[in-house]
Amino acid sequence: MVEMEERDVPTIPGEPLGQEMTRFLKGVVSTITGIPPTTFPGAQPVSFQRAHLEDNLMNKDYYVCEKSDGLRCLLLTLLHPETGDEGTFLITRANEYFMVPNFHFPLSPNDFAKPHNGTIVDGELVLSRTPEGTKQLRYLIFDCLAYNGESVMNKLTPKRLYYASELFYKPYRKLREKHPVDCQNFPFKLYFKDMTEPFKISKIFQQLHNLSYVSDGLILTCSETPYVVGTDPTLLKWKPAEENTIDFKLLLEFPKYEDEDVPEGPDRVYPDYDSKPTIYLYEWVGGQSAVNSTDPEKYEADFSKHQEFGQLTISDEEWEELKHSGERFNGRIAEVNQDKTKHWRLLRFRDDKLNANHYTVVGKVIQSIRDGVTKEELIQAQEQIRKNWEIRQRRRKEMAAAAAANGGQTVHRPAPPPVKAPTQQRPQPVPQQKHTTDLKRPIEEPESSDDALDEFPTYDRSPSPDYSRKKVKGE
């Protein structure tokens, strides 16, 4: 079992909002994105399968970055319409809203006073280990849903990444450089994830050991699609077989102990809580529990929307360690993986989730494990991915030149069939290819927009520092 402290889920450094404020914010987000307020407006990836190598990476443009093992959440910035105070909020996959105090996100790298209003970025909250061995929170940005009150979800990935990196992250980074003292009280630091093409995937693997946080795979984002809420079949999540995980709900069944000193009756036999229990894994079948989720004990004890899948394998030593932690386990959501002996092993608890994975998701993850593409196969395929990408690039240039010669009218020509990836060869690592392009992929600049938001309810905030003042020597 992986050491639990290495797989800790970050704790959001803010306060969960009450029903009234949450309802209002969900309405604001719904107005901006067009997504129903009851739905988490984030995209969800699908597990990488062998067919994706041919159908997706060989035939479409993609971005690739490492997959961080943390807490997925959206970050929302809003202004109070009367006081001008900034509000920064994190939205979890359970569609819960947390207010994170003491943040400032400038709209421009040249004018730190004016803040963002209605910007929504997508990212991962992770625990980063410092050289001294302490853990610090980091928020890693990898997409953008809205900019200053206007949805950008219908734009293709390169333009959304421009909003995220150049129009949101860059002004923030400049602020930290110019005013490091004022930014010391920020709850956590933000970074923008480096994106590159799949034909440079070997470089991503080489850089994984330099990360200060846990990474358990790759995320591959299609360049040719808009932002899709819910399951996006083009958004791919690759993990090595040992890192493919499933979230199950745990049901503990303790052995019965017969106390011969007790007279015959219902009290003579009772659960032996000192012994190691049988731990059953339950998958979600869909629907909402009739039990109120705000009552943790009752909610965790309710398995009406879950069905049995299998059993968790745990050693006597591991059980003793868990037992002495003093924590509860029955009904909790646990993230597990399959070891080389095909047994399910505990990685960590996911108290940020209300339900286990849906049985359809469980089936896809198991299929991904059985039919998985190895790291070596990805590296072997990158040269053919590059060749197919170059064919598409030449075709785009030819079409653009033909359109210019035709007075701006697009000329449609049938695309040449791409060369398929080799399937019969034994996967072998290939030497790193030298290309003229940098590791970071270019991001396109979109048209500008500065729409405002509607009314915002009152909340208490401390006044922000005067970031417009000149930096004092010695700061």
Side-chain angles (χ1 to χ4, degrees):
M1 182 174 68
V2 176
E3 293 297 328
M4 295 295 288
E5 61 268 16
E6 294 181 7
R7 295 279 181 165
D8 288 345
V9 178
T11 301
I12 295 180
E15 299 179 359
L17 298 178
Q19 292 185 356
E20 182 178 357
M21 178 65 79
T22 298
R23 188 181 306 112
F24 176 82
L25 290 175
K26 287 182 177 179
V28 172
V29 172
S30 178
T31 299
I32 296 174
T33 63
I35 304 303
T38 56
T39 300
F40 172 65
Q44 302 290 355
V46 297
S47 295
F48 195 97
Q49 297 183 10
R50 188 163 297 277
H52 292 133
L53 185 60
E54 180 65 38
D55 297 342
N56 295 68
L57 299 191
M58 291 293 174
N59 293 300
K60 298 178 181 178
D61 288 357
Y62 263 80
Y63 288 98
V64 61
C65 66
E66 57 82 19
K67 180 186 177 298
S68 310
D69 189 18
L71 179 64
R72 163 79 180 290
C73 49
L74 307 179
L75 188 147
L76 163 69
T77 65
L78 283 176
L79 291 185
H80 191 290
E82 297 178 358
T83 66
D85 285 340
E86 297 180 65
T88 302
F89 307 91
L90 291 177
I91 309 170
T92 68
R93 283 189 295 188
N95 212 23
E96 298 171 327
Y97 283 64
F98 291 75
M99 182 175 179
V100 185
N102 303 322
F103 255 133
H104 176 62
F105 294 104
L107 195 61
S108 167
N110 303 315
D111 180 9
F112 296 144
K114 187 176 181 180
H116 277 266
N117 185 16
T119 295
I120 307 173
V121 295
D122 199 350
E124 190 95 2
L125 198 64
V126 301
L127 288 171
S128 177
R129 190 177 295 275
T130 66
E132 294 76 24
T134 60
K135 292 182 178 180
Q136 294 182 351
L137 278 176
R138 299 284 187 268
Y139 185 75
L140 310 178
I141 304 168
F142 51 73
D143 213 324
C144 183
L145 285 73
Y147 174 75
N148 224 34
E150 180 179 352
S151 173
V152 298
M153 298 167 64
N154 63 329
K155 301 183 184 300
L156 302 186
T157 305
K159 290 188 176 182
R160 298 198 314 273
L161 293 182
Y162 181 88
Y163 280 103
S165 65
E166 297 298 314
L167 301 185
F168 183 77
Y169 174 67
K170 183 177 179 180
Y172 158 84
R173 179 169 54 82
K174 291 292 184 181
L175 173 68
R176 293 200 71 106
E177 292 174 358
K178 294 290 183 66
H179 299 275
V181 175
D182 290 330
C183 297
Q184 284 181 349
N185 292 328
F186 283 7
F188 47 80
K189 292 182 179 180
L190 285 78
Y191 296 91
F192 182 78
K193 277 199 172 186
D194 288 342
M195 305 278 181
T196 190
E197 295 92 348
F199 52 79
K200 298 176 184 175
I201 220 163
S202 59
K203 293 185 178 180
I204 297 290
F205 284 126
Q206 291 170 8
Q207 294 174 352
L208 290 181
H209 70 278
N210 295 326
L211 297 176
S212 60
Y213 50 86
V214 177
S215 176
D216 58 356
L218 304 173
I219 291 291
L220 301 107
T221 306
C222 186
S223 306
E224 307 168 9
T225 57
Y227 191 94
V228 176
V229 175
T231 302
D232 180 357
T234 70
L235 183 60
L236 309 177
K237 174 180 63 176
W238 177 89
K239 292 183 177 183
E242 66 274 11
E243 286 288 355
N244 271 294
T245 62
I246 301 176
D247 297 329
F248 288 112
K249 191 169 185 175
L250 302 185
L251 176 64
L252 277 64
E253 184 177 284
F254 289 88
K256 301 295 184 179
Y257 176 76
E258 183 176 359
D259 193 341
E260 297 180 354
D261 295 331
V262 177
E264 290 288 344
D267 297 332
R268 184 181 176 89
V269 179
Y270 50 85
D272 181 7
Y273 292 113
D274 290 328
S275 300
K276 185 177 70 174
T278 301
I279 304 179
Y280 295 96
L281 303 172
Y282 276 71
E283 58 189 359
W284 186 41
V285 297
Q288 293 185 350
S289 171
V291 179
N292 193 332
S293 62
T294 58
D295 189 337
E297 292 187 6
K298 291 184 178 179
Y299 190 83
E300 290 170 355
D302 178 39
F303 284 78
S304 61
K305 300 299 181 181
H306 290 76
Q307 65 185 10
E308 185 179 338
F309 170 83
Q311 293 185 19
L312 181 73
T313 298
I314 189 169
S315 68
D316 294 339
E317 293 77 11
E318 289 169 342
W319 169 245
E320 288 300 318
E321 180 183 348
L322 291 173
K323 185 171 65 173
H324 285 91
S325 70
E327 298 182 11
R328 68 187 192 284
F329 305 110
N330 195 59
R332 285 175 75 178
I333 305 299
E335 183 177 357
V336 307
N337 70 342
Q338 196 175 60
D339 63 18
K340 295 181 179 179
T341 62
K342 306 300 182 182
H343 291 97
W344 295 101
R345 313 287 296 191
L346 176 65
L347 283 179
R348 61 180 173 179
F349 292 103
R350 296 302 303 261
D351 294 328
D352 57 309
K353 295 187 175 183
L354 293 176
N355 295 305
N357 284 145
H358 194 268
Y359 71 91
T360 58
V361 175
V362 173
K364 290 177 181 178
V365 173
I366 292 176
Q367 180 63 30
S368 181
I369 294 173
R370 293 173 179 171
D371 190 38
V373 176
T374 66
K375 169 184 173 181
E376 289 74 22
E377 287 178 290
L378 287 174
I379 294 175
Q380 182 188 26
Q382 66 181 359
E383 181 60 20
Q384 189 59 59
I385 293 173
R386 180 184 66 82
K387 291 178 179 179
N388 287 8
W389 176 81
E390 289 175 345
I391 292 173
R392 293 192 297 272
Q393 290 294 91
R394 286 197 300 268
R395 175 172 167 77
R396 292 187 184 106
K397 291 180 180 179
E398 292 171 358
M399 293 180 62
N406 197 34
Q409 297 294 322
T410 302
V411 178
H412 295 282
R413 298 176 180 173
V419 182
K420 292 186 176 182
T423 56
Q424 301 301 322
Q425 301 178 13
R426 181 180 177 85
Q428 295 292 335
V430 299
Q432 182 176 322
Q433 301 293 326
K434 294 183 179 179
H435 304 298
T436 56
T437 51
D438 296 330
L439 177 60
K440 293 184 179 180
R441 184 165 176 178
I443 298 173
E444 299 177 16
E445 178 177 1
E447 60 276 9
S448 62
S449 173
D450 57 355
D451 288 357
L453 290 173
D454 294 331
E455 181 182 358
F456 191 74
T458 302
Y459 62 93
D460 296 329
R461 284 302 313 271
S462 301
S464 300
D466 183 7
Y467 295 106
S468 61
R469 64 179 172 82
K470 293 183 178 180
K471 186 178 178 182
V472 179
K473 185 176 181 180
E475 286 190 342

